[in-house]
Amino acid sequence: MELPLPFRERMKQMLGDEYGEFLESYDRERSQGLRLNLLKTGREEFLAKTSFMLEPIPWAESGFYYQPQDRPGRHPYHEAGVYYIQEPSAMAVVSFLDPQPGEKVLDLCAAPGGKTTQIASRLQGKGFLLSNEIHPARARILSQNVERMGVRNAVVTNEDSGRLAEYFPEFFDRIAVDAPCSGEGMFRKDEEAVREWSTENVEHCALRQQEILANAARMLKAGGRLVYSTCTFAPQENEMAVETFIAGHPEFTIEETPVYEGLSSGVREWGNGSAAGIENTVRIWPHRTRGEGHFIAVLRKDGADREHKRNYPAYFRDRKALKDYYDFCNQYLTEPNEWTEQETFILFGEQLYRIPGEMPGIDRLRIVRPGLHLGSFKKNRFEPSHALALALRKGDAAGYRDYPAVSREADAYLRGETITDTAGGDGRKGWTLMTVDGYSCGWAKLAGGVLKNHYPKGLRK
């Protein structure tokens, strides 16, 4: 790979004797990773079911290296949202963020969704996750991944960080800022990043990162944690960015970070008198570990909480208008009260969504996904969404059909084909949850011994 000369000169100065090893890393095969979705499976459960050759990633409790021949992206488990294919180094960000169930968390630069779905997995459906992406096309991809992973308590927005800061002053317990950057750490993965690189772009990214960090600071509660990360090696976007931010925001301090095998502190990497000597930041080097280049800093906001008036509207609670939805829940779900009581709903045309209870009014925001899409109202009936199917477990549905992931039926279902119901015998008909090895992947409608396929056409093989 032909790396830009100014980049090579700077990396040689930074790495000294290790520069040769660093260059050699570009000739090695990069490591592939997947991260389990703890909303759907557990580590031991998954390992007992899978035939993949997996090796734990030290800094991600549910992350694994996999072998390319396993091709997990083509397995039915992927369509069921059992795991997310994610670059191994990127998994470290949420490990350092350490979100806890019940907290309010913001993923500010979230597409395509790796960190968002990792946060959701850690929240375990408790608390509130706002996942934001400024680019509309990428925001739609983010929304699709939130759906595939069965996330119930997330809202996806397509906003500028400054607009969000006006809307959510000192609101979040934790914020992830995986900032747009010059992408130097992805050179081995993405040759387009090499072609687009320039010293001018590095400086431009550094300025934009300061703006994003300043807006994130406004949204973090006192005592809250902000994790700043990039996938670049440039000190201007990493240690110097953190120093500049703290100089303008003295209420923030750098937290000491946990020690994970394969990751090491920036101060010990090249404390040569430059700005890179800042303590407790983390650099992931591709020549030292099995992952792409990454930088991480964990920041704590000091001070006292201030009261902010919040407006939590009732949204939509017209039980008469929701009758068809309630009828569906009572007929087809084993715990209908979980889906009908003490919930907030909103209608977009015929589409019904369940809004996380901690979400303030949404009238002034560009919303891509206002919560969990439950389904749509048709004439005298309610039709459940694919998102609802993926948010359910096998035992949540009154009627389901479970097939081995490696089976003719599972393959036929994902191709959109009608399936003959060989199980039968339970006398049920209507909406049936389709599962593979117990993991939900969509709906079918049972009638006359036939399962009519409702797997979305845009997702079919």
Side-chain angles (χ1 to χ4, degrees):
M1 181 181 295
E2 187 60 35
L3 299 171
L5 179 59
F7 170 76
R8 285 185 280 133
E9 289 176 341
R10 188 234 295 153
M11 296 307 297
K12 186 174 184 179
Q13 182 183 14
M14 287 171 63
L15 290 168
D17 293 342
E18 293 186 37
Y19 178 63
E21 294 178 64
F22 173 76
L23 287 183
E24 289 172 5
S25 72
Y26 285 90
D27 296 325
R28 296 201 300 265
E29 287 290 327
R30 58 189 184 87
S31 296
Q32 309 280 352
L34 63 81
R35 177 183 43 75
L36 300 185
N37 179 8
L38 301 181
L39 298 173
K40 294 207 167 196
T41 192
R43 181 187 177 102
E44 298 307 317
E45 174 190 336
F46 179 78
L47 292 176
K49 290 181 178 181
T50 187
S51 60
F52 297 161
M53 298 292 291
L54 301 176
E55 184 180 343
I57 295 173
W59 51 84
E61 63 179 352
S62 58
F64 295 89
Y65 297 106
Y66 69 83
Q67 299 301 313
Q69 61 267 25
D70 287 328
R71 304 178 74 185
R74 300 180 64 86
H75 196 280
Y77 286 173
H78 182 268
E79 308 311 311
V82 179
Y83 49 73
Y84 188 100
I85 297 174
Q86 187 176 14
E87 198 282 310
S89 295
M91 299 181 195
V93 176
V94 175
S95 294
F96 286 115
L97 185 67
D98 194 26
Q100 300 297 310
E103 292 183 328
K104 299 182 183 73
V105 183
L106 169 64
D107 187 1
L108 187 52
C109 312
K115 295 173 184 66
T116 276
T117 55
Q118 190 175 2
I119 292 167
S121 184
R122 296 282 293 266
L123 290 179
Q124 285 293 295
K126 300 173 183 177
F128 170 58
L129 170 60
L130 183 67
S131 183
N132 181 70
E133 172 57 45
I134 193 171
H135 299 289
R138 286 170 56 81
R140 288 191 291 272
I141 295 171
L142 168 64
S143 179
Q144 291 164 5
N145 281 320
V146 167
E147 176 176 295
R148 181 171 63 87
M149 303 300 274
V151 179
R152 301 184 183 187
N153 59 330
V155 172
V156 179
T157 54
N158 169 217
E159 279 292 355
D160 174 82
S161 62
R163 289 225 340 132
L164 287 181
E166 294 173 4
Y167 204 83
F168 295 98
E170 297 185 307
F171 184 85
F172 295 100
D173 300 292
R174 300 180 195 247
I175 298 178
V177 178
D178 187 41
C181 67
S182 57
E184 296 172 0
M186 296 294 110
F187 280 179
R188 183 167 60 168
K189 177 182 177 182
D190 182 6
E191 291 190 12
E192 184 66 25
V194 180
R195 289 190 290 270
E196 292 179 353
W197 185 89
S198 68
T199 55
E200 293 78 14
N201 189 41
V202 169
E203 297 295 339
H204 173 73
C205 289
L207 289 173
R208 180 171 54 180
Q209 289 152 4
Q210 288 303 314
E211 178 185 354
I212 294 172
L213 273 171
N215 289 327
R218 294 164 58 192
M219 291 185 275
L220 189 66
K221 290 180 180 179
R225 176 179 292 181
L226 188 157
V227 172
Y228 173 74
S229 64
T230 72
C231 56
T232 189
F233 302 114
Q236 298 97 312
E237 302 179 66
N238 295 334
E239 292 87 354
M240 291 169 66
V242 173
E243 284 191 327
T244 300
F245 171 72
I246 290 177
H249 298 80
E251 71 275 21
F252 279 84
T253 54
I254 303 175
E255 282 197 326
E256 185 174 352
T257 54
V259 176
Y260 294 101
E261 180 186 347
L263 308 189
S264 47
S265 167
V267 72
R268 290 195 295 269
E269 296 306 314
W270 45 289
N272 56 2
S274 71
I278 193 167
E279 286 194 57
N280 291 325
T281 59
V282 174
R283 279 183 175 270
I284 303 177
W285 297 101
H287 64 288
R288 290 190 178 185
T289 193
R290 296 166 61 186
E292 304 306 304
H294 233 77
F295 170 86
I296 301 169
V298 181
L299 306 173
R300 171 74 65 180
K301 185 177 185 179
D302 301 320
D305 284 327
R306 289 183 290 178
E307 288 292 330
H308 291 273
K309 186 177 180 180
R310 310 290 185 191
N311 175 30
Y312 295 97
Y315 294 110
F316 180 77
R317 293 303 304 266
D318 186 337
R319 295 186 68 88
K320 184 177 180 180
L322 290 171
K323 178 181 181 302
D324 291 337
Y325 167 68
Y326 290 135
D327 288 345
F328 167 85
C329 293
N330 288 326
Q331 183 174 357
Y332 294 110
L333 303 181
T334 56
E335 298 291 340
N337 288 347
E338 179 183 347
W339 298 91
T340 60
E341 298 298 327
Q342 298 179 350
E343 296 296 347
T344 52
F345 302 97
I346 190 167
L347 268 174
F348 281 91
E350 297 178 340
Q351 306 302 315
L352 181 67
Y353 289 82
R354 188 172 80 167
I355 305 282
E358 297 87 349
M359 179 66 184
I362 62 174
D363 55 310
R364 293 183 289 126
L365 293 174
R366 289 194 296 269
I367 302 290
V368 180
R369 180 174 292 267
L372 177 62
H373 184 206
L374 298 171
S376 56
F377 290 101
K378 307 295 185 181
K379 187 176 180 180
N380 298 322
R381 63 186 173 87
F382 177 81
E383 186 167 301
S385 69
H386 185 60
L388 176 58
L390 292 173
L392 296 172
R393 289 178 176 263
K394 183 174 70 172
D396 295 334
Y400 64 85
R401 293 292 182 268
D402 188 39
Y403 298 102
V406 181
S407 67
R408 181 186 61 80
E409 290 86 354
D411 191 55
Y413 179 72
L414 296 176
R415 289 200 306 268
E417 299 175 7
T418 297
I419 300 172
T420 300
D421 182 34
T422 57
D426 59 7
R428 299 193 64 85
K429 61 179 181 179
W431 291 107
T432 303
L433 188 67
M434 303 294 283
T435 66
V436 292
D437 291 343
Y439 302 125
S440 60
C441 57
W443 294 108
K445 208 165 186 181
L446 177 61
V450 173
L451 290 159
K452 182 180 178 182
N453 202 309
H454 280 259
Y455 193 67
K457 291 182 180 179
L459 299 178
R460 295 175 182 178
K461 290 184 176 181

